[in-house]
Amino acid sequence: MNRAPHSRSPWRAELRATLTLAWPLILSNLTMAAIQATDVVLMGWLGARPLAASALGLNLTFAFSLICLGLVTASSPMMATALGARLRSVQDVRRSFRQSLWLVGTITVPVWLVLWNSEPVIRALGQEPALAADARLFLRGYMWSMLPFLLFQAMRNFVAALERPGWVLAISLGAIPLNAMLAYGLIFGRFGLPEWGIFGGGLASSIVWMLQAVLLGLVIVTDRQFRRFHPFGRFWRPDWPRYRRMWRIGLPIGLAMGFEGGVFSAAAYLMGLIDAESVAAHAVALQIAALSFMVPWGLSQAATVRVGRHLGERNRQGIGRAGAVAWVLGVGFMALMALVIWAIPRELMTLFLDDTPQNARVIALGVSFLAIAAIFQIVDGAQVVGAGMLRGLHDTRVPMIFTFVGYWAIGIGAGTWLAFREGWQGQGVWTGLAVGLTIVAILMGWRWMRRDALGLTRTAQ
C-alpha cells in the first residue's frame, strides 16, 4: 500500500529540482529578451527604416553571439558532471570555469573585427546601401556588448551548475529598466544625455551588459558558497587539455546554436531582398516568438545541468527522469503560447508598433508571420529542450549535424524556394523556418530515445 507514493517520489523530487533550477534561468532569459525587445520598441518609435536597419545589425550579431555562447556553454555539462561525481569537484569546477573565461578572451576579438567592418558584409548580402550604413552605425555602439555578454554567460553557467541562479535573475531584472532609460535617453537626447539616435540605442546595450558582468563577478567573489571554489584564482594558469576539451564539446554546441540562430538571421536578410517593411515585420514577429522561446530555453539549460548531474552520479534512471520532466514542461508551455499567439496576433504586434496608417502594412505582414509562428511554437520547444538533454550527456556533434540539415539544407532551402519561386514572399520564409524546426525536433527526440543503444549513458548504471 505504501509503494505507490514512494515510487512517485523520485519524479516529484526531479520536478521540484528542475523547477527550482529553471525558473530563475527562465526569468533571466526573459529579461535578456526584454532588453532586446525594449531596443526594438524604441527603434520602432524612430520609424520603420531605423527599425529595419537595427534588425539587420542585430541579426548579423545574433549568429556570432550564439556560436560564441555555445562554445562557452561547454563548461555547463562539464561542471555539472564534476559536481555529480563529487571526486575533486571543487578543483574540476574551478578549472572548467577558468578555461571558459579563456575561451571568451579567445573568441571576442575576431568577432569585434567582423562587426566593426559590418557595412560591406551587409551590402554583400544584397541589402540597401542606406540600410547597411545605418546598421553599421548601430553596431558601432552595440558590438562592445559581446565581451561582457559572454563573460556574464560564463559566470551564469558557474552559478547554475551550483544550482543557485537567483543572483543572475536579480541582476537581470535590474537591467531592464536601466536599459530602457539609458536607451531612451541616448536615442532621443533625454535626461541630459546626447541625442545619438540609432547609435545611442546600440551603445546603451553595451553599457548595460558591462554593468551586469561586473555585478555578477562581484557576487561570485563575495558570496561564501561561490568563493569556496576560488573561481578567479590563478586565472593566468592554463589547462590546455581542458581548454581543448571545451573546444571539442563547445564548438559543436556553438555551431548548432549558430545554425539555429543563423537561419533566423538569414531569414531577415531574405526579407531585405523583398522590402524594408518585411524586415521590420519580421523583426517584431521574431521578437514575440523569442520571448516565448526563453521559457523552454531555460528548461533546456536546467536539463543540461540535471542530466549532467545524474550522468556524474551514474544514475541511468535519473537521466531519463530529468529529460522527461524538462521536455514535458517545455513542450506544454509552448503549446499554451501557440494558442495565445494564434488568438491575438494583431494585439501583440501593436505592443511594438503604433497602430497608424504608416505602420499598417508592417503590422499586417507581422500578423501573417505570427500565424505561422503559432504553428511552430511546439516543435521549437521540443527541439531546444531535446538539445539541452543531449548536452547533459556531452553529446554535441551529431545534434550539430541535425541542426545544419534541418535548418539550412531543408528549412532555409524550402523557405527561399517558397518565397521567391512560388511567390509566397515573407510567409514562404517563415514556412521554411517551421519545416526546419519540425525536422530538428524529430531528430533530437529520436536520438534521445536511443541514448542507451548509442552508448551515450555508458558511464551510468
Side-chain angles (χ1 to χ4, degrees), residues 34-79:
I35 290 173
Q36 187 165 324
T38 302
D39 294 338
V40 171
V41 170
L42 293 173
M43 293 302 174
W45 290 357
L46 276 177
R49 290 189 67 83
L51 174 59
S54 62
L56 292 176
L58 284 171
N59 278 282
L60 182 62
T61 309
F62 190 48
F64 286 114
S65 297
L66 287 178
I67 293 172
C68 296
L69 178 59
L71 281 164
V72 176
T73 298
S75 64
S76 184
M78 290 171 67
M79 290 186 288

Side-chain angles (χ1 to χ4, degrees), residues 53 74 85 95 139 148 173 215 221 232 237 240 260 274 289 295 299 303-304 348 372 424 430 432 434 450:
R95 289 181 174 179
L139 285 175
L173 285 174
L215 286 174
V221 298
F232 295 103
R237 290 188 61 180
W240 297 119
E260 180 181 0
I274 301 171
V295 175
L299 288 163
T304 297
L348 292 172
I372 301 169
W424 291 20
W430 275 69
R450 299 192 68 244

